[in-house]
């Protein structure tokens, strides 16, 4: 199943960076899902985790990761840790000298993801139980930022905390649905492009839909 997905992403040119495929190979998705779903670990669909949230579909994780164009040694901020799976993929790409900081607003999921990451002995990820819609100023600026919940618009604190020339990828609500936006920061502003339409749970918090 894992190989079928890789073949599909290669054939359809969905993932262009070979290193992203290597990261996918290196992270066992089965370690990030709930008991009872083991056979679905490599199905190309989202799966339920705790508190009504989901672990994103593998293809969505790959498209977002590929778009981030991560280099070794970079510092990446994620909003929406969920299971910790996306963070684990990012951690492989930044390598030992890099760092992933990820924020989760639901305590149960912050604990769940911490446990998943610990099991795999990954030590370049910092998981915070906080409102990520405000970013995390303490570790800013970031080379890359990824938002894994749908936002009304890209939160300004995230733009402020992104390095000049840095890349942010986020699903943003539009009239047609949730549009995946890739932004590159130039002179303090984002130059954006669309990566298509996806389905995400809503972003909560100060710059999300509810507080
Ligand atoms: N990246 C995750 C899937 C994310 S689902 C994975 O790999 O499994 C989206 C997550 O965003 C949910 O866990 C939800 O609780 C969280 N979330 C929603 N609003 C948030 C906010 N303001 N700050 C941090 N996390 C938030």
């Amino acid at each position: 199943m894992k190989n079928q997905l890789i073949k599909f992403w290669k054939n359809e040119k969905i993932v262009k960076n070979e290193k992203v495929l290597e990261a996918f190979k290196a992270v066992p998705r089965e370690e990030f899902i709930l008991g009872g779903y083991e056979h679905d670990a490599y199905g190309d669909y989202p799966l339920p985790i705790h508190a009504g949230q989901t672990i994103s579909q593998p293809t969505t994780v790959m498209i977002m990761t590929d778009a981030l164009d991560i280099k070794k040694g970079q510092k990446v901020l994620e909003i929406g840790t969920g299971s910790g799976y996306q963070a684990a993929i990012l951690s492989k790409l930044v390598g030992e000298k890099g760092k992933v900081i990820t924020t989760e607003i639901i305590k149960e999921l912050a604990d769940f993801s911490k446990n998943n990451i610990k099991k795999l002995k990954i030590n370049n990820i910092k998981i915070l139980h906080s409102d990520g819609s405000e970013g995390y100023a303490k570790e800013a600026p970031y080379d890359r930022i990824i938002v894994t919940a749908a936002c009304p618009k890209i939160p300004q604190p995230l733009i402020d905390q992104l390095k000049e020339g840095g890349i942010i990828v986020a699903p943003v609500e539009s009239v047609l649905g949730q549009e995946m936006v890739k932004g590159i920061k130039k002179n303090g502003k984002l130059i954006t492009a669309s990566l298509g339409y996806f389905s995400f749970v809503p972003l909560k918090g100060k710059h999300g839909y509810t507080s």
Side-chain angles (χ1 to χ4, degrees):
M1 283 276 266
K2 207 167 180 173
N3 287 336
Q4 273 171 344
L5 282 174
I6 293 170
K7 220 185 216 172
F8 165 64
W9 295 328
K10 272 189 168 173
N11 290 348
E12 300 297 320
K13 297 188 170 47
I14 288 171
V15 179
K16 289 160 202 91
N17 183 349
E18 193 67 34
K19 293 204 174 79
V20 173
L21 296 175
E22 281 164 22
F24 174 74
K25 283 186 210 161
V27 180
R29 191 168 184 258
E30 59 274 23
E31 299 291 343
F32 293 85
I33 59 182
L34 298 180
Y37 288 96
E38 292 85 357
H39 296 295
D40 294 305
Y42 294 99
D44 200 13
Y45 35 82
L47 291 171
I49 46 176
H50 297 287
Q53 306 302 308
T54 54
I55 172 171
S56 306
Q57 172 176 357
T59 294
T60 305
V61 173
M62 288 297 108
I63 290 172
M64 294 178 86
T65 308
D66 206 39
L68 282 172
D69 192 23
I70 292 170
K71 309 275 189 282
K72 281 235 177 307
Q74 286 186 330
K75 196 192 258 189
V76 183
L77 175 69
E78 180 190 30
I79 320 306
T81 317
S83 66
Y85 178 71
Q86 172 77 69
I89 297 278
L90 298 171
S91 84
K92 299 289 172 198
L93 289 159
V94 298
E96 280 165 17
K97 293 200 173 110
K99 193 169 180 185
V100 177
I101 289 125
T102 178
T103 61
E104 172 54 56
I105 204 162
I106 299 176
K107 176 80 167 60
E108 193 182 1
L109 285 168
D111 293 341
F112 176 60
S113 57
K114 272 182 196 163
N115 193 44
N116 294 340
I117 294 298
K118 209 170 133 195
K119 272 192 301 192
L120 297 180
K121 300 188 169 58
I122 299 173
N123 43 33
N124 57 350
I125 301 178
K126 181 159 145 185
I127 299 173
L128 303 163
H129 173 222
S130 66
D131 174 10
S133 78
E134 298 196 79
Y136 185 62
K138 220 172 140 189
E139 292 263 8
Y142 300 97
D143 298 291
R144 303 289 187 260
I145 299 179
I146 174 172
V147 186
T148 66
C151 18
K153 61 180 196 146
I154 296 183
Q156 187 60 41
L158 301 186
I159 302 172
D160 296 341
Q161 291 170 27
L162 184 66
K163 266 187 200 167
E164 183 65 20
I167 301 174
I168 182 167
V169 175
V172 180
E173 209 70 61
S174 77
V175 280
L176 296 174
Q178 297 171 355
E179 185 172 28
M180 189 68 74
V181 171
K182 171 178 175 171
I184 302 179
K185 189 167 169 181
K186 288 268 150 70
N187 302 320
K189 292 209 171 71
L190 291 183
I191 312 287
T192 60
S194 173
L195 302 178
Y197 291 88
F198 293 81
S199 179
F200 281 86
V201 296
L203 182 77
K204 297 176 184 139
K206 190 171 172 198
H207 300 273
Y209 290 97
T210 50
S211 52

